[in-house]
Amino acid sequence: MVAYKSKMVERISLPARETRERALEAAGYNVFNLDAADVFIDLLTDSGTGAMSDAQWAALLRGDEAYAGSESFAELESAVADVMGFEHVVPTHQGRGAENVLYGSLLSEGDVVPNNTHFDTTRAHVANQGADPVDCPTEGADDPSLEAPFKGNFSLERARAVVDDVGAERVPVVVQTITNNSTAGQPVSVENTRAIRTFADEIDATFVIDACRFAENAAFVRRREPEFEDATIDAIAREQLGYADAIVMSGKKDGLVNAGGFVATDDADLFERCKQRAILFEGFPTYGGMAGRDLGAMAVGLREAVEPSYLEDRLESIATLATLLEDVGVPIYRPVGGHAVYLDASELFPHLEASEFPGQALVCELYREGGVRGVELGSFAFPNTDRPELVRLAVPRRTYHREHFEHVAETATAVLENRETVSGYEIASDPAVPELRHFSADLEPLEPTRP
Ligand code: F0G
């Protein structure tokens, strides 16, 4: 059931087709290079792109900008304690700042870090410490058509194989990402979190949860894990996060704000180490690179993120987009995750090889046909892996409604009508960091492979 009405609006418009064609070409067929003004429905990310509530805007005005000991920081501490169950908080400018602070405090050269699936910035921060990030997704996670309740889970079997291979002393940290963004936003069960806690104890490792989308995950647990069908969202979130020694958080997701993040822990020792590192990279530990007003808005956002009516509206909105797309025949990753719908580009364009970037072709067609911006998460974003060729349509929180999604489905219909004639792409520039090429590389369309 709908949980919001609008109090402020932002004008959007669909640029003319020739404007879109020109913008796409000028962007080197990479939608990260588009001006947002040239985008009609922006589904590039759910990160920091949502709408704040009236209560959050009110908190902005009350923000305490004291350099040390700000009242807004105290509000954040109390929200993190109530909603997530941790005593100590180190604020940071966003999630990757929290990753730098925490992983820089925990890891050394030669360490190995298992994660259900590393998000890009997590992988990069683990590698930046000289450690080796290893993905341990559950069996079937890469199969877009397998129906299972918790495809985001961490494979204990794979984690054990890592430890057997390198030895427990080289695995000081185990990370679980909830929901699992790099596996189509799939949820992780509390049972799986418990198992990873036990595993971390066995090998004497620190157990970290990447909690960016912890509230969406709790909503799925309530719906799909029988043990929790009568539990409150609050209780589920606190129980699941409570198994971790520390969490990293991007406030731009389930903090319902446009900027911010933090590390939280009950471990006084780890807290001290993180604080020292935060002073170096983020700011004094009671603001950590955030304005006082943004700390205040994030404190309110965390509480709103676990409200049942918000979460119902949130999951409903992703499901609506998915159903509209499936109804017009678009192949999608099933079941639908918590923050995005992931389209299966190899199924949509069977005439395109992975080397011709079918996902990027789909991203370009969605923009060309309807000014819709998504992001490729296949061979272009992840070179040299055999992941499925997916395109993510991430849904900003409390921002778009059914009419916007109907436009996305109409756009997809137009793409489907010409699917045989869509050509692939090749990379035209040679970016300095190949792992991050999807953010900056220019592409060129190949000739149509079929008339
Ligand atoms: N961890 C996960 C699981 C994420 O999805 C992200 C960001 C981060 C960490 C880093 O947080 O952006 O605040 O520095 N994901 C965004 C996305 C960028 O589009 O999925 P950040």
Side-chain angles (χ1 to χ4, degrees):
M1 198 192 296
V2 67
Y4 300 96
K5 62 178 181 176
S6 307
K7 188 177 272 201
M8 188 189 281
V9 292
E10 177 182 342
R11 238 187 119 75
I12 54 169
S13 64
L14 176 63
R17 175 174 274 270
E18 65 214 43
T19 309
R20 303 198 298 268
E21 291 282 3
R22 242 184 295 121
L24 194 58
E25 194 184 338
Y29 300 93
N30 184 337
V31 294
F32 279 99
N33 296 332
L34 288 171
D35 289 341
D38 289 331
V39 177
F40 185 39
I41 308 292
D42 202 348
L43 306 180
L44 185 67
T45 178
D46 64 319
S47 180
T49 50
M52 290 205 297
S53 68
D54 45 3
Q56 287 180 287
W57 282 100
L60 282 185
L61 292 180
R62 287 198 317 269
D64 176 358
E65 303 303 336
Y67 189 94
S70 146
E71 186 55 34
S72 303
F73 175 65
E75 284 164 19
L76 177 65
E77 277 187 312
S78 122
V80 171
D82 291 349
V83 175
M84 304 171 107
F86 291 95
E87 189 185 347
H88 305 299
V89 185
V90 181
T92 59
H93 73 284
Q94 62 182 85
R96 66 202 69 182
E99 291 178 331
N100 179 32
V101 165
L102 184 65
Y103 299 130
S105 304
L106 288 172
L107 294 174
S108 323
E109 186 89 32
D111 290 342
V112 177
V113 179
N115 189 322
N116 38 349
T117 321
H118 287 82
F119 178 67
D120 324 13
T121 59
T122 319
R123 181 182 304 281
H125 274 294
V126 167
N128 195 38
Q129 299 305 322
D132 186 13
V134 182
D135 289 342
C136 302
T138 191
E139 198 70 40
D142 266 358
D143 177 355
S145 59
L146 175 79
E147 290 284 346
F150 292 107
K151 285 169 82 176
N153 276 356
F154 198 129
S155 164
L156 201 54
E157 215 180 334
R158 287 182 176 157
R160 285 199 202 287
V162 171
V163 170
D164 288 347
D165 195 27
V166 302
E169 63 289 345
R170 282 184 62 198
V171 186
V173 175
V174 178
V175 186
Q176 191 176 52
T177 307
I178 67 170
T179 57
N180 190 336
N181 186 14
S182 304
T183 299
Q186 296 296 299
V188 170
S189 67
V190 173
E191 186 188 17
N192 188 247
T193 302
R194 280 187 197 127
I196 299 303
R197 166 77 267 171
T198 308
F199 168 69
D201 285 340
E202 277 165 26
I203 62 167
D204 202 19
T206 301
F207 179 27
V208 175
I209 290 184
D210 178 331
C212 291
R213 299 179 179 86
F214 76 101
E216 289 165 6
N217 200 80
F220 279 116
V221 165
R222 191 169 192 283
R223 288 179 180 196
R224 297 186 184 167
E225 199 165 352
E227 180 188 339
F228 295 96
E229 64 187 350
D230 297 323
T232 62
I233 295 288
D234 291 35
I236 295 168
R238 273 197 307 270
E239 168 158 359
Q240 189 159 33
L241 298 176
Y243 292 113
D245 298 305
I247 59 168
V248 271
M249 179 70 188
S250 166
K252 303 172 76 165
K253 284 82 169 175
D254 282 351
L256 305 187
V257 284
N258 305 117
F262 54 87
V263 174
T265 183
D266 281 342
D267 179 334
D269 222 47
L270 181 59
F271 176 50
E272 271 313 312
R273 281 185 282 150
C274 287
K275 271 203 296 195
Q276 295 311 315
R277 195 169 163 86
I279 293 171
L280 193 58
F281 290 103
E282 299 291 323
F284 188 76
T286 62
Y287 73 88
M290 293 178 72
R293 54 182 171 271
D294 289 331
L295 294 168
M298 188 158 69
V300 176
L302 282 173
R303 293 184 191 278
E304 291 179 352
V306 290
E307 279 169 10
S309 65
Y310 158 71
L311 283 169
E312 205 175 297
D313 183 81
R314 173 78 179 143
L315 296 197
E316 199 67 38
S317 103
I318 316 291
T320 301
L321 174 60
T323 305
L324 287 166
L325 287 167
E326 282 192 299
D327 285 352
V328 298
V330 179
I332 67 167
Y333 185 106
R334 302 269 328 157
V336 180
H339 66 293
V341 179
Y342 291 67
L343 317 184
D344 186 345
S346 34
E347 175 112 14
L348 197 66
F349 299 137
H351 61 288
L352 298 181
E353 301 290 332
S355 59
E356 300 169 305
F357 306 132
Q360 191 60 20
L362 178 53
V363 167
C364 289
E365 290 312 302
L366 288 169
Y367 179 70
R368 200 194 305 272
E369 293 294 341
V372 174
R373 177 157 69 170
V375 66
E376 196 265 5
L377 294 174
S379 296
F380 178 43
F382 304 109
N384 312 320
T385 56
D386 56 353
R387 290 180 183 229
E389 301 294 335
L390 299 179
V391 167
R392 185 183 77 173
L393 300 182
V395 181
R397 293 168 180 78
R398 305 188 291 206
T399 303
Y400 292 123
H401 313 293
R402 191 180 173 91
E403 291 91 327
H404 301 106
F405 298 149
E406 282 169 354
H407 173 81
V408 177
E410 281 162 24
T411 302
T413 307
V415 174
L416 283 167
E417 274 165 13
N418 300 314
R419 66 204 282 183
E420 284 89 12
T421 62
V422 168
S423 81
Y425 286 80
E426 65 183 354
I427 293 177
S429 63
D430 203 8
V433 187
E435 291 78 20
L436 301 178
R437 71 181 183 186
H438 76 297
F439 295 116
S440 58
D442 287 344
L443 298 108
E444 291 265 6
L446 297 160
E447 288 308 306
T449 45
R450 291 214 186 128

